[in-house]
Amino acid sequence: STQSRSSAASDVYKRQGIFYVTGRAVQRLMGRVNIEDNESMYYLQKCLKNMGIEAKLKEMGVCEGDTVILDDWELEWYEWDI
C-alpha cells in the first residue's frame, strides 16, 4: 500500500479498501469530538477539510459509505454539505 503524507502531523493511507488517518493532529482532534453529536461531527468535517485530510481522502478515491478510521474511531464516510 502506498503511504502518502498530507502533512507532518497526519498520515492518510488505504489498506484493503479501508482508509486510515493517523497522527498526532488527528488524535488531538478526535479527543475533542463526540461522534454521537451532529454539531461535533460538523466540526470534525470542517477540521478534516482545513487540515487537507478530506482532499487527500478524495484524491485516494474515498466514496460515500466507505469505512474511514480516524485514529481509533471507525466512521462511515459521507459527504457533508459545508
Side-chain angles (χ1 to χ4, degrees), residues 21-80:
V21 184
T22 60
R24 286 188 310 275
V26 175
Q27 282 173 338
R28 281 198 303 270
L29 175 60
M30 294 314 286
R32 295 195 297 264
V33 168
N34 170 7
I35 61 172
E36 303 297 317
D37 178 59
N38 280 345
E39 214 145 290
S40 207
M41 291 304 286
Y42 179 84
Y43 168 76
L44 169 64
Q45 181 69 6
K46 221 165 63 174
C47 289
L48 292 178
K49 199 180 209 93
N50 294 344
M51 292 162 79
I53 291 171
E54 183 192 62
K56 183 61 72 176
L57 284 166
K58 286 185 172 176
E59 209 176 278
M60 296 173 82
V62 75
C63 294
E64 193 127 358
D66 283 348
T67 299
V68 177
I69 296 179
L70 297 162
D71 194 27
D72 287 329
W73 299 89
E74 187 174 313
L75 302 173
E76 189 176 303
W77 185 260
Y78 65 95
E79 300 294 332
W80 280 271

